[in-house]
Amino acid sequence: MSVDNTFESAHFSKMLRTVDVPGGVETVMEGQRAFGLISNAFEQLNGPIVVMGYASQGPAHANNLRTSLREAGSDVPVWVALREGSPSRELAEADGFTEENGTLVTPDVGLKNAGFLAMLMADGSMAGQGEEYLSKMRDGSVLGLAHGYYEGYLESQRRTIKEVAPQLAGVVGVCPKGMGPSVRKLYEQGSGINSSFALSSGDRQRMTDLGLSWSMGIGSPYTFQTTLGKEWRSDIFGERAMLLGGVHGMVEAVYAWKHQKGIGGERAYLESVETLVGPISKTISEEGLTGVFEALGSEKEREEFASAYNATYPVLKHLISKLYSDVSSGREIQEVFDDYSLESPKPQVDGGQMWRDGEKVRASMTDEQRRQIQIEPAVAGMYIAGMMAQVDVLRANGHYWSEVVNESIIEAVDSLNPYMAHKGIAFMVDNCSDTAQRGGRKWAPQFEAWLRQAVLPVVDGGRIKDSQKAGMLLHDDKDYMADFLNHPVHKALETFAKMRPPISISVTG
Amino acid sequence: MSVDNTFESAHFSKMLRTVDVPGGVETVMEGQRAFGLISNAFEQLNGPIVVMGYASQGPAHANNLRTSLREAGSDVPVWVALREGSPSRELAEADGFTEENGTLVTPDVGLKNAGFLAMLMADGSMAGQGEEYLSKMRDGSVLGLAHGYYEGYLESQRRTIKEVAPQLAGVVGVCPKGMGPSVRKLYEQGSGINSSFALSSGDRQRMTDLGLSWSMGIGSPYTFQTTLGKEWRSDIFGERAMLLGGVHGMVEAVYAWKHQKGIGGERAYLESVETLVGPISKTISEEGLTGVFEALGSEKEREEFASAYNATYPVLKHLISKLYSDVSSGREIQEVFDDYSLESPKPQVDGGQMWRDGEKVRASMTDEQRRQIQIEPAVAGMYIAGMMAQVDVLRANGHYWSEVVNESIIEAVDSLNPYMAHKGIAFMVDNCSDTAQRGGRKWAPQFEAWLRQAVLPVVDGGRIKDSQKAGMLLHDDKDYMADFLNHPVHKALETFAKMRPPISISVTG
């Protein structure tokens, strides 16, 4: 399959780069905060930018766009639309979006006036009320989505946005590859989170310019192209897999496994969570996936990595393939919508002993101690095997390299894991969207169980035969490590990782 | 809501009893092995009984029907139909269904000749090939289903069996409330497993007589009425909930919780699995749910039970309600079919340390030691709370008491748990249908995670506030124990439990 994921824009021509990826080329817009370029597309619209919803992505988009447009000397207004009684009103007001200055409005006023409406409500609420809201948008206005969930929801009902709102001039998606708080925090720190953009309908050139303007305005250091259909699949899949569910299940399984071996709770936490969100994530971010393997000092450690990798990859490949099928069929989207409608509660994810141990570890650890945490070779092998399984499943389903490496690797190590490092699992999962929170809760236990029952016994040696005896054929004698070391993903990751600005996220507060 | 779940049959009139249940009446056929009554309905058919498939339910139905008809002096033949190369051929031949004596045939021959076709293949296979198979059935033949999966599968595609096979004289379901091996084993031991029966289409009286004949022929000690729509919902739901997934997740969570408290592996196994499948199940079977509470010897133990009950019920009620919605929507059925089509593997369920500890416990325990295992009050409170949540969710969704108590309580303690007691979790789960095996694997980890993160910290005292702080509102101050002690289910359970024959299952081999 040859890869051709290119696009053009005369207005942004100086920012576009077409880069080689394994098997072809992709165009990427580099951000570099050229905010002077962004006002043009918004000024052509016949109304303000209205951000609807103010939970995860809303505050990031509203604040970043407002600041970027001011820096560009533009007077395009940015409004926030919230219903009466929304629990987010206080937060929006604290950020300067108030009724007094005319930038905090009701949904009806926002819908009636918006030239560009960024629909950033909770997914379930979007699915439930989207049709009513879209019908109220003015003729010729443009709908912006920060991910493809709503299109996926309509697709599961065999409908399209164009059918629901034929009066729109276009629909464009700009989808940050990180949680909303990261998008805001990195912007403030002078850096940013990469985004994908996707055109759904409307004039191709005009919507491209608008999407690129939106993406640069929220501070994306670079922007790559996808489709809404690919976006929602990779996004809903990725968060259920290694970004949230998979990594959560993995650290739970590893903690219990260490504990079983007689290792005390706090040390078990260090050797599961801290090694993963610390040196393993940092090394991946800076040196790539093979960099972790190469950083191991001894032959024995490399063997531990390889053995864990080989035990993990084939098992998680099966689970992750099944997960992709559950997502791509539309079932996960329908389930989230039902859960949302039924007000199905989300239990806390950190009630167990390991997260209480984690609190103690974080409270007592000095920066120096944190720097001295080592890479646990088996944990590194398992984690990277999970990432690689995710990469291979996304590639097999036709996702472009830009999306694959961002949804499988970069988002994890640059945006999400730092949140787990800072305050534990809940701080990571529950800063994400409702869809992600529910999906992470559902899938983490399944990753944990597969790892406990079918991977860790193999890592401990000698249980491969039992798995084969059970007729499950999860394992074989293939040397997955050899595939890993020669995998094209490393080239793709290098290409996209080096476009990032040099500042890493610093999570505080 | 007043309950009226009655039916009539002149032929079986002496076996029918209409019993009082909370809020109304239900008719039940008592079995009492009156095999003389069963040949009439089968003899009116224009061809043999053909059992298609020979995995979980197939062997039980084929062997039990053959024996019962012989005892009745009937010469209605019982055939088994299997495709060439089916891994079950050897087993069927060992049971006397052979090509030589004309009772082992190909699917095509079976479909062409059957007067009554019991379609007992794996659900996924049924979904994939059902349409082709049904189109080959002869005019005027009758389709028998051992549960409603296939109707549910068609319903999720907005189709019906009648549309797929209009030439059939009728469709009837007889659905044993236990795994196939239990249906066979208890029949041989002179007892049996209760079944529900459901009419889907065809002449009402004729199909009633055929369904009751089939049910009595496989040895059901009693038979109650449902619909295929209620049957597949309660069945697929029940196995994912407390029958398989819930009980598996619960013992994993309890084992780890005990282990965390410094209790060694083997003792932790005794205090999680053995207490549950031993004295707790036995007491429920003989004395009902409140019997367990009453069997506790001290006020302290009763408080432990009540406190665990109150911590568990509201949390599992949420999870189990969500589960019912996932099933009733058709999503679980579609997922099983996709997994089956993709040949998605089923990982072993007993690779972890606890099941290795369990092997040691079972190998070294004497019968005397087994008899001395005590009811663990907290485990009993948690388990019964899960059952009660399941009862309440089924009742809220309009299921009759007969189905509710069989799918929530009787099937667990009389049919399934004895298998876990005998050889561990895999021996229970993997003797069930493929649909059950997949569903149990999917849901057990979710029950475990909810219990670990949101229930056990509360059982340990003082974590309720944290849950409330997280805004999840899983717990409240309601006294669920008081509802439990006054619940109408106890009357219903007593009614249906006392109709069982006095012999309990003895699992060997």
Side-chain angles (χ1 to χ4, degrees):
Chain A
M1 175 177 65
S2 95
V3 176
D4 178 359
N5 185 28
T6 55
F7 61 89
E8 292 175 1
S9 163
H11 187 71
F12 285 97
S13 60
K14 289 192 178 154
M15 320 305 293
L16 301 189
R17 276 179 59 193
T18 294
V19 296
D20 290 334
V21 293
V25 287
E26 295 194 43
T27 303
V28 174
M29 179 186 75
E30 293 191 282
Q32 300 176 359
R33 303 194 157 223
F35 296 138
L37 291 170
I38 73 168
S39 45
N40 192 51
F42 289 115
E43 281 165 2
Q44 289 174 29
L45 297 167
N46 54 357
I49 296 169
V50 177
V51 173
M52 188 99 145
Y54 210 77
S56 177
Q57 291 288 346
H61 287 245
N63 285 291
N64 293 7
L65 275 178
R66 184 175 57 181
T67 306
S68 299
L69 285 163
R70 277 184 195 160
E71 281 197 27
S74 169
D75 59 0
V76 173
V78 178
W79 295 0
V80 169
L82 291 174
R83 63 180 167 76
E84 288 299 325
S86 160
S88 307
R89 289 185 77 89
E90 209 171 318
L91 182 57
E93 285 165 0
D95 288 341
F97 296 100
T98 65
E99 288 181 16
E100 290 68 37
N101 66 22
T103 58
L104 178 59
V105 298
T106 62
D108 275 349
V109 171
L111 291 161
K112 198 179 299 174
N113 286 278
F116 178 77
L117 187 88
M119 192 79 97
L120 307 182
M121 300 139 61
D123 295 326
S125 171
M126 183 69 198
Q129 300 175 273
E131 192 154 355
E132 181 202 335
Y133 282 179
L134 264 59
S135 71
K136 291 181 179 166
M137 286 177 68
R138 64 196 287 184
D139 282 3
S141 60
V142 176
L143 173 67
L145 298 169
H147 88 85
Y149 177 92
Y150 187 60
E151 190 184 84
Y153 174 74
L154 291 177
E155 188 180 321
S156 77
Q157 307 193 331
R158 301 202 176 82
R159 296 192 300 158
T160 65
I161 295 175
K162 187 126 190 109
E163 286 164 20
V164 171
Q167 83 280 20
L168 299 182
V171 179
V172 61
V174 164
C175 311
K177 300 295 102 181
M179 60 168 84
S182 293
V183 173
R184 178 64 185 150
K185 200 168 281 292
L186 278 167
Y187 180 92
E188 290 178 304
Q189 292 170 11
S191 177
I193 292 280
N194 317 317
S195 297
S196 62
F197 88 104
L199 308 185
S200 173
S201 66
D203 175 74
R204 180 159 191 87
Q205 200 50 61
R206 197 181 148 214
M207 290 305 127
T208 300
D209 287 349
L210 193 59
L212 296 177
S213 301
W214 182 11
S215 188
M216 190 179 288
I218 60 169
S220 308
Y222 65 84
T223 306
F224 54 92
Q225 180 176 243
T226 187
T227 65
L228 283 183
K230 283 196 165 68
E231 201 286 327
W232 71 256
R233 286 180 172 82
S234 64
D235 184 75
I236 293 176
F237 160 78
E239 68 204 15
R240 280 155 177 72
M242 294 307 295
L243 299 186
L244 296 177
V247 72
H248 180 191
M250 190 171 281
V251 294
E252 293 266 359
V254 170
Y255 171 89
W257 177 60
K258 297 269 179 186
H259 205 68
Q260 287 279 2
K261 292 178 186 295
I263 294 173
E266 295 186 30
R267 206 180 124 207
Y269 189 84
L270 282 170
E271 295 182 4
S272 53
V273 174
E274 290 294 336
T275 184
L276 196 152
V277 299
I280 294 172
S281 293
K282 186 172 188 302
T283 307
I284 293 171
S285 181
E286 293 172 359
E287 311 289 340
L289 299 170
T290 47
V292 177
F293 182 66
E294 284 154 12
L296 297 173
S298 70
E299 201 50 45
K300 180 170 164 295
E301 285 183 329
R302 290 185 176 206
E303 274 166 23
E304 271 178 65
F305 179 108
S307 144
Y309 187 96
N310 280 331
T312 307
Y313 177 88
V315 176
L316 290 194
K317 178 84 180 289
H318 284 303
L319 181 60
I320 289 172
S321 297
K322 171 187 159 43
L323 167 49
Y324 192 91
S325 152
D326 287 353
V327 170
S328 190
S329 66
R331 284 192 298 272
E332 289 284 323
I333 279 186
Q334 293 164 358
E335 182 180 337
V336 166
F337 177 60
D338 280 1
D339 288 348
Y340 179 87
S341 304
L342 296 168
E343 299 183 354
S344 192
K346 296 169 284 190
Q348 59 181 147
V349 292
D350 60 352
Q353 184 60 44
M354 82 174 277
W355 304 107
R356 298 203 285 278
D357 290 338
E359 276 172 38
K360 281 185 243 158
V361 167
R362 288 193 305 273
S364 67
M365 190 158 49
T366 64
D367 286 351
E368 180 56 25
Q369 284 169 326
R370 189 180 283 275
R371 271 191 296 275
Q372 283 175 5
I373 296 169
Q374 300 290 308
I375 293 175
E376 274 285 297
V379 176
M382 289 171 64
Y383 182 56
I384 290 175
M387 278 186 164
M388 289 302 298
Q390 179 164 334
V391 163
D392 286 341
V393 168
L394 283 170
R395 284 294 297 152
N397 285 285
H399 295 265
Y400 292 117
W401 281 112
S402 49
E403 188 160 71
V404 171
V405 300
N406 271 282
E407 280 291 354
S408 305
I409 305 166
I410 295 173
E411 180 164 355
V413 296
D414 287 358
S415 167
L416 295 169
N417 289 351
Y419 279 72
M420 189 177 359
H422 186 57
K423 277 196 186 173
I425 189 72
F427 193 60
M428 178 174 80
V429 174
D430 291 341
N431 264 308
C432 294
S433 71
D434 180 68
T435 303
Q437 292 175 35
R438 293 184 188 277
R441 280 168 166 79
K442 174 180 173 183
W443 284 93
Q446 297 184 69
F447 275 86
E448 180 187 351
W450 285 53
L451 290 166
R452 182 199 310 150
Q453 310 289 5
V455 171
L456 289 167
V458 180
V459 174
D460 278 336
R463 299 281 296 185
I464 292 183
K465 282 205 174 55
D466 282 12
S467 296
Q468 287 176 336
K469 199 181 72 187
M472 303 311 178
L473 298 174
L474 287 167
H475 300 94
D476 53 41
D477 294 330
K478 213 178 142 192
D479 184 7
Y480 294 101
M481 261 305 281
D483 288 352
F484 165 63
L485 293 172
N486 294 306
H487 200 285
V489 73
H490 307 305
K491 173 83 180 67
L493 178 59
E494 193 187 340
T495 299
F496 292 105
K498 77 182 172 199
M499 286 188 220
R500 287 170 309 180
I503 300 170
S504 296
I505 193 166
S506 152
V507 183
T508 50
Chain B
M1 174 174 66
S2 96
V3 175
D4 179 359
N5 184 28
T6 55
F7 61 90
E8 292 175 2
S9 162
H11 186 71
F12 285 97
S13 60
K14 288 192 179 156
M15 320 304 292
L16 301 188
R17 277 181 59 195
T18 294
V19 296
D20 289 334
V21 293
V25 287
E26 296 195 42
T27 302
V28 174
M29 178 185 75
E30 292 192 281
Q32 299 176 0
R33 302 195 158 223
F35 297 139
L37 291 170
I38 74 168
S39 46
N40 191 51
F42 289 116
E43 281 164 4
Q44 288 174 28
L45 297 167
N46 53 359
I49 296 170
V50 177
V51 172
M52 188 99 144
Y54 210 78
S56 178
Q57 291 288 346
H61 287 245
N63 284 290
N64 294 7
L65 274 178
R66 185 175 57 182
T67 306
S68 299
L69 284 163
R70 277 183 196 160
E71 282 196 28
S74 168
D75 58 2
V76 173
V78 178
W79 296 0
V80 170
L82 291 174
R83 63 181 167 76
E84 288 299 325
S86 160
S88 305
R89 289 185 78 88
E90 211 172 317
L91 182 57
E93 285 165 0
D95 287 342
F97 296 101
T98 66
E99 287 183 16
E100 290 68 38
N101 66 22
T103 58
L104 179 59
V105 298
T106 61
D108 275 350
V109 171
L111 291 161
K112 200 179 297 174
N113 285 278
F116 178 76
L117 186 87
M119 192 79 95
L120 307 181
M121 302 139 59
D123 295 325
S125 174
M126 183 69 197
Q129 300 174 274
E131 191 153 355
E132 180 201 335
Y133 282 179
L134 264 59
S135 71
K136 292 180 178 166
M137 286 178 69
R138 64 195 290 183
D139 283 1
S141 60
V142 175
L143 174 66
L145 298 170
H147 88 87
Y149 178 91
Y150 186 60
E151 190 183 83
Y153 174 75
L154 291 177
E155 188 180 322
S156 76
Q157 308 194 330
R158 301 202 177 81
R159 295 191 300 158
T160 65
I161 295 176
K162 187 127 189 111
E163 286 163 20
V164 170
Q167 83 280 21
L168 298 182
V171 179
V172 61
V174 165
C175 311
K177 302 293 103 183
M179 59 168 86
S182 292
V183 174
R184 178 65 186 149
K185 200 169 281 292
L186 279 167
Y187 180 91
E188 289 178 304
Q189 292 171 11
S191 177
I193 293 280
N194 318 316
S195 298
S196 62
F197 88 105
L199 308 184
S200 173
S201 65
D203 175 75
R204 180 159 192 88
Q205 200 49 63
R206 197 179 148 214
M207 291 305 127
T208 299
D209 286 349
L210 194 58
L212 295 177
S213 301
W214 181 12
S215 188
M216 189 178 288
I218 60 168
S220 309
Y222 65 86
T223 305
F224 54 93
Q225 180 176 243
T226 185
T227 65
L228 283 184
K230 283 196 164 68
E231 201 288 326
W232 71 256
R233 285 179 172 82
S234 65
D235 184 77
I236 293 177
F237 161 78
E239 68 204 15
R240 280 155 178 73
M242 294 308 294
L243 298 186
L244 296 178
V247 72
H248 180 191
M250 190 171 281
V251 293
E252 293 265 0
V254 170
Y255 171 89
W257 177 59
K258 297 270 180 184
H259 204 69
Q260 287 278 3
K261 292 178 185 296
I263 295 173
E266 295 185 31
R267 205 180 126 208
Y269 189 85
L270 282 169
E271 295 182 4
S272 53
V273 175
E274 291 294 337
T275 185
L276 195 152
V277 298
I280 294 172
S281 293
K282 187 171 186 305
T283 307
I284 293 171
S285 180
E286 293 171 359
E287 311 290 340
L289 298 171
T290 47
V292 178
F293 182 68
E294 284 154 12
L296 297 173
S298 69
E299 201 50 44
K300 180 171 164 294
E301 286 183 327
R302 291 186 175 205
E303 274 166 23
E304 270 178 66
F305 179 109
S307 142
Y309 188 97
N310 281 331
T312 307
Y313 178 89
V315 176
L316 290 194
K317 178 84 180 292
H318 285 303
L319 180 61
I320 289 172
S321 297
K322 170 188 161 41
L323 168 50
Y324 192 91
S325 152
D326 287 352
V327 169
S328 190
S329 67
R331 283 193 298 271
E332 289 285 321
I333 279 187
Q334 292 165 357
E335 181 180 337
V336 167
F337 178 60
D338 280 359
D339 287 349
Y340 180 87
S341 305
L342 296 169
E343 298 185 353
S344 192
K346 296 169 283 191
Q348 58 181 148
V349 292
D350 60 352
Q353 183 61 43
M354 83 174 276
W355 304 105
R356 298 203 285 279
D357 289 339
E359 277 172 38
K360 281 186 246 160
V361 167
R362 289 193 305 273
S364 67
M365 190 158 48
T366 64
D367 286 351
E368 179 55 27
Q369 284 169 324
R370 189 180 285 274
R371 271 191 296 275
Q372 283 175 4
I373 296 169
Q374 300 290 309
I375 293 175
E376 274 283 298
V379 177
M382 288 171 66
Y383 183 57
I384 291 174
M387 278 185 164
M388 289 302 299
Q390 179 163 333
V391 163
D392 286 339
V393 168
L394 282 170
R395 284 294 298 152
N397 285 284
H399 294 265
Y400 292 116
W401 281 111
S402 49
E403 189 160 70
V404 170
V405 300
N406 272 282
E407 281 290 354
S408 306
I409 305 166
I410 295 174
E411 179 164 355
V413 297
D414 287 358
S415 167
L416 295 168
N417 289 351
Y419 279 72
M420 188 176 2
H422 187 56
K423 278 195 183 174
I425 189 74
F427 193 61
M428 177 174 80
V429 175
D430 291 341
N431 265 310
C432 293
S433 71
D434 179 69
T435 303
Q437 292 175 35
R438 293 184 188 277
R441 280 169 167 79
K442 174 181 173 181
W443 284 92
Q446 297 182 69
F447 276 86
E448 180 188 350
W450 285 54
L451 290 166
R452 182 200 310 150
Q453 309 290 5
V455 171
L456 289 168
V458 180
V459 174
D460 279 335
R463 300 278 298 182
I464 293 182
K465 283 208 171 55
D466 282 11
S467 295
Q468 287 177 334
K469 199 181 72 187
M472 303 310 178
L473 299 173
L474 288 166
H475 301 95
D476 53 41
D477 294 331
K478 210 177 146 192
D479 184 7
Y480 294 101
M481 261 306 281
D483 289 351
F484 165 64
L485 293 171
N486 294 307
H487 200 285
V489 73
H490 308 304
K491 174 84 180 65
L493 178 60
E494 191 187 344
T495 299
F496 293 105
K498 77 182 171 201
M499 287 187 219
R500 287 169 310 178
I503 301 171
S504 296
I505 193 166
S506 151
V507 184
T508 51

